[in-house]
Amino acid sequence: MAKQNVAEQFVDILARAGVRRMYGVVGDSLNPVVDAVRRNAAIDWVHVRHEEVAAFAAGAEAQITGKLTACAGSCGPGNLHLINGLYDAHRSMAPVLALASHIPSSEIGLSYFQETHPERLFQECSHYSEMISNPQQMPRLLQTAIQHAIGQRGVSVVTLPGDVADQPAPDQSFESALVTSRPTIRPGDAEIDRLVEMIDQADKVTLFCGAGTAGAHAEVMEFAGRVKSPVGHALRGKEWIQYDNPFDVGMSGLLGYGAAYEATHECELLILVGTDFPYNAFLPDDVRIAQIDVRPEVIGRRSRLDLAVWGDVRETLRCLIPRVREKTDRRFLDKMLKKHADALEGVVKAYTRKVDKHVPIHPEYVASVLDELADDDAVFTVDTGMNNVWAARYISPNGRRRIIGSFSHGSMANAMPMAIGAQLVDRDRQVVAMAGDGGFTMLMGDFLTLVQQDLPVKIVLFNNSALGMVELEMLVAGLPSYGTTDVNPDFAEVARACGVFGMRVEKPKQLAGALKDAFRHKGPALVDVVTDPNALSIPPKIKADMVTGFALSASKIVLDGGVGRMLQMARSNLRNVPRP
């Protein structure tokens, strides 16, 4: 039996770590690895048209499965294209192993054709970035990279010169067991004791939850019921905490709605639960604050803290629930539930006022109909910009749906690439890309990947021929919109030219039928919905000196607009409020 080369050993170790796909674009220095993938039945090569898409897709797969995924780029420009998608995966805590192939090792440092220094370039968007310059570094270096990605939840980058990949691999007897899952972390007794004391002393407690509550829904609900706490959430916490939540008071932040802001400011003790919510302008500075997080490096970097608790959310709450004294006074909780319902009643008119007859179509209406028609276990991938608003307000989580986007990195063009990775995990599960025309056209070349890979992704294109969120930012800054208009084709015709089911919708009465037809279609489909570029309604008190974008500085104002089925949930929760 012929001795393995480094590329073959590299691929074998990835397969042993559970990697099932490697996304990328073939070429020159990467060819030995691609050929090794071709000959390894455990891993598929997913050919995309742009390496940025490869990284986005790998990150999405990792978010859906929680397992290690891989992407690759050839030397120089090839692996440079990975960087934006890797930033997103890293900031989303998605375990991704990126292979950056390199020029011949004898030419490194001599300004060779396509020379870059990947081991330096990717340092900021990875937990680990190193180069294999000698076959003897295998497999230890790759194993170290894998354990960084899984153990610290993020990106590892391995740089591999093409000539080194072709050399004989060292003896596999040096291989050791791989870390493929994470442990749970319990806080120390002193922190638990102190948090119990703070909770028992406070009459009004609010929980503000983020993505760290994944897998802890039952514990959050039990704890909130015990201490009679309103439960608000950040955008990344929505899918994990909003459903089946009788304590829900909505979302805080620029895209927020309901009474989450009031609940976090009018309490005596605010507990930040598994969130690295970045907008400190929306956090209070005059209440006691405790933070629970499994990542010690994020604790206390957004707000002043009275107590830092390092631990897994689920395990921490399991420690707290039997020890905190059950509260009997619901007045604060009931007050916030009523404020939440009243707030939603006040803004829902933006959606209900003759919206089913309005032309161009209100994007709120599109999102609401989509929410009603999509499967109960659908995966929604969401473009950055106004689509974040529509997903936050209208897509209803239920514990089975997933909602993923570039929520921490804020990149354009992520929805369709993420849909590729999500769909490859399960071809029978409905995957819906909520794409904006700006984001879709930025990486439109990989629309062809849906055809080539025969992926039944459904793209719902919110086509307002504008960069809507950027226009809002300019407006908030007191600037006239400039450079934000797109001249678009009929995307349904483009879809059909590419061999994809395509429909264009210009009137509200056409929408439901078009979505149903697209969802019934067995292959990829695109519904091009012409939406109103002026649909966004904002509060009248926004001033020109407010900071642009998501920072919003000291404004503490949220966008106005409809909220879909969340009003129904808020009304339902009000039934639990005792009547005088």
mmCIF file of all heavy atoms in Angstrom, residues 25 43 48 92 135 242 284 442 493-494 496 551 579:
data_model
loop_
_atom_site.group_PDB
_atom_site.id
_atom_site.type_symbol
_atom_site.label_atom_id
_atom_site.label_comp_id
_atom_site.label_asym_id
_atom_site.label_seq_id
_atom_site.Cartn_x
_atom_site.Cartn_y
_atom_site.Cartn_z
ATOM 1 N N VAL A 25 -13.076 26.694 -3.979
ATOM 2 C CA VAL A 25 -12.817 26.785 -5.417
ATOM 3 C C VAL A 25 -11.455 26.145 -5.660
ATOM 4 O O VAL A 25 -10.467 26.496 -4.991
ATOM 5 C CB VAL A 25 -12.810 28.253 -5.901
ATOM 6 C CG1 VAL A 25 -12.525 28.328 -7.395
ATOM 7 C CG2 VAL A 25 -14.145 28.929 -5.582
ATOM 8 N N ILE A 43 -15.791 12.597 2.755
ATOM 9 C CA ILE A 43 -15.911 14.047 2.613
ATOM 10 C C ILE A 43 -16.261 14.392 1.175
ATOM 11 O O ILE A 43 -15.681 13.844 0.228
ATOM 12 C CB ILE A 43 -14.599 14.766 3.014
ATOM 13 C CG1 ILE A 43 -14.332 14.591 4.506
ATOM 14 C CG2 ILE A 43 -14.663 16.251 2.694
ATOM 15 C CD1 ILE A 43 -13.125 15.356 5.006
ATOM 16 N N VAL A 48 -18.054 25.960 -5.239
ATOM 17 C CA VAL A 48 -18.797 27.210 -5.310
ATOM 18 C C VAL A 48 -18.098 28.131 -6.311
ATOM 19 O O VAL A 48 -17.027 27.807 -6.830
ATOM 20 C CB VAL A 48 -18.899 27.883 -3.920
ATOM 21 C CG1 VAL A 48 -19.683 27.000 -2.958
ATOM 22 C CG2 VAL A 48 -17.523 28.202 -3.350
ATOM 23 N N SER A 92 -19.710 34.558 14.923
ATOM 24 C CA SER A 92 -20.922 33.791 15.214
ATOM 25 C C SER A 92 -20.618 32.553 16.049
ATOM 26 O O SER A 92 -21.509 31.755 16.318
ATOM 27 C CB SER A 92 -21.604 33.360 13.910
ATOM 28 O OG SER A 92 -21.987 34.481 13.147
ATOM 29 N N PRO A 135 6.436 18.431 6.702
ATOM 30 C CA PRO A 135 5.494 17.328 6.889
ATOM 31 C C PRO A 135 5.453 16.793 8.321
ATOM 32 O O PRO A 135 4.424 16.270 8.763
ATOM 33 C CB PRO A 135 5.994 16.257 5.912
ATOM 34 C CG PRO A 135 6.681 17.029 4.839
ATOM 35 C CD PRO A 135 7.333 18.187 5.536
ATOM 36 N N GLN A 242 -37.852 33.302 22.507
ATOM 37 C CA GLN A 242 -39.120 34.009 22.358
ATOM 38 C C GLN A 242 -40.331 33.082 22.369
ATOM 39 O O GLN A 242 -41.399 33.452 22.851
ATOM 40 C CB GLN A 242 -39.126 34.837 21.067
ATOM 41 C CG GLN A 242 -40.340 35.727 20.929
ATOM 42 C CD GLN A 242 -40.477 36.310 19.542
ATOM 43 O OE1 GLN A 242 -40.219 35.660 18.543
ATOM 44 N NE2 GLN A 242 -40.884 37.557 19.483
ATOM 45 N N PRO A 284 -28.868 49.823 30.925
ATOM 46 C CA PRO A 284 -28.952 50.811 32.000
ATOM 47 C C PRO A 284 -27.604 51.001 32.697
ATOM 48 O O PRO A 284 -26.730 50.122 32.647
ATOM 49 C CB PRO A 284 -29.969 50.193 32.955
ATOM 50 C CG PRO A 284 -29.801 48.717 32.763
ATOM 51 C CD PRO A 284 -29.500 48.541 31.298
ATOM 52 N N MET A 442 -24.675 41.127 -4.921
ATOM 53 C CA MET A 442 -23.256 41.201 -4.582
ATOM 54 C C MET A 442 -22.541 39.876 -4.833
ATOM 55 O O MET A 442 -21.397 39.845 -5.289
ATOM 56 C CB MET A 442 -23.078 41.629 -3.118
ATOM 57 C CG MET A 442 -21.634 41.811 -2.699
ATOM 58 S SD MET A 442 -21.469 42.422 -1.007
ATOM 59 C CE MET A 442 -21.805 44.169 -1.245
ATOM 60 N N GLU A 493 -36.859 36.527 -14.398
ATOM 61 C CA GLU A 493 -36.360 36.139 -15.722
ATOM 62 C C GLU A 493 -34.913 35.667 -15.635
ATOM 63 O O GLU A 493 -34.516 34.707 -16.311
ATOM 64 C CB GLU A 493 -36.475 37.321 -16.684
ATOM 65 C CG GLU A 493 -37.908 37.654 -17.087
ATOM 66 C CD GLU A 493 -37.950 38.688 -18.204
ATOM 67 O OE1 GLU A 493 -36.866 39.096 -18.678
ATOM 68 O OE2 GLU A 493 -39.054 39.079 -18.608
ATOM 69 N N VAL A 494 -34.108 36.327 -14.809
ATOM 70 C CA VAL A 494 -32.727 35.876 -14.600
ATOM 71 C C VAL A 494 -32.730 34.451 -14.052
ATOM 72 O O VAL A 494 -31.952 33.592 -14.495
ATOM 73 C CB VAL A 494 -31.991 36.834 -13.639
ATOM 74 C CG1 VAL A 494 -30.616 36.264 -13.269
ATOM 75 C CG2 VAL A 494 -31.843 38.217 -14.254
ATOM 76 N N ARG A 496 -35.026 32.113 -14.360
ATOM 77 C CA ARG A 496 -35.429 31.142 -15.382
ATOM 78 C C ARG A 496 -34.317 30.910 -16.391
ATOM 79 O O ARG A 496 -34.126 29.782 -16.868
ATOM 80 C CB ARG A 496 -36.709 31.616 -16.060
ATOM 81 C CG ARG A 496 -37.938 31.554 -15.146
ATOM 82 C CD ARG A 496 -39.231 31.778 -15.916
ATOM 83 N NE ARG A 496 -39.402 33.178 -16.322
ATOM 84 C CZ ARG A 496 -40.017 34.105 -15.606
ATOM 85 N NH1 ARG A 496 -40.521 33.795 -14.415
ATOM 86 N NH2 ARG A 496 -40.156 35.338 -16.059
ATOM 87 N N ALA A 551 -24.914 51.487 16.005
ATOM 88 C CA ALA A 551 -24.425 52.005 17.280
ATOM 89 C C ALA A 551 -25.510 52.828 17.960
ATOM 90 O O ALA A 551 -25.825 52.637 19.125
ATOM 91 C CB ALA A 551 -23.183 52.847 17.054
ATOM 92 N N ARG A 579 -56.683 40.152 37.252
ATOM 93 C CA ARG A 579 -57.540 41.324 37.118
ATOM 94 C C ARG A 579 -57.911 41.853 38.510
ATOM 95 O O ARG A 579 -58.150 41.062 39.431
ATOM 96 C CB ARG A 579 -58.825 40.974 36.361
ATOM 97 C CG ARG A 579 -58.568 40.436 34.959
ATOM 98 C CD ARG A 579 -57.812 41.421 34.094
ATOM 99 N NE ARG A 579 -57.555 40.891 32.764
ATOM 100 C CZ ARG A 579 -56.761 41.467 31.877
ATOM 101 N NH1 ARG A 579 -56.132 42.580 32.205
ATOM 102 N NH2 ARG A 579 -56.571 40.938 30.689
#
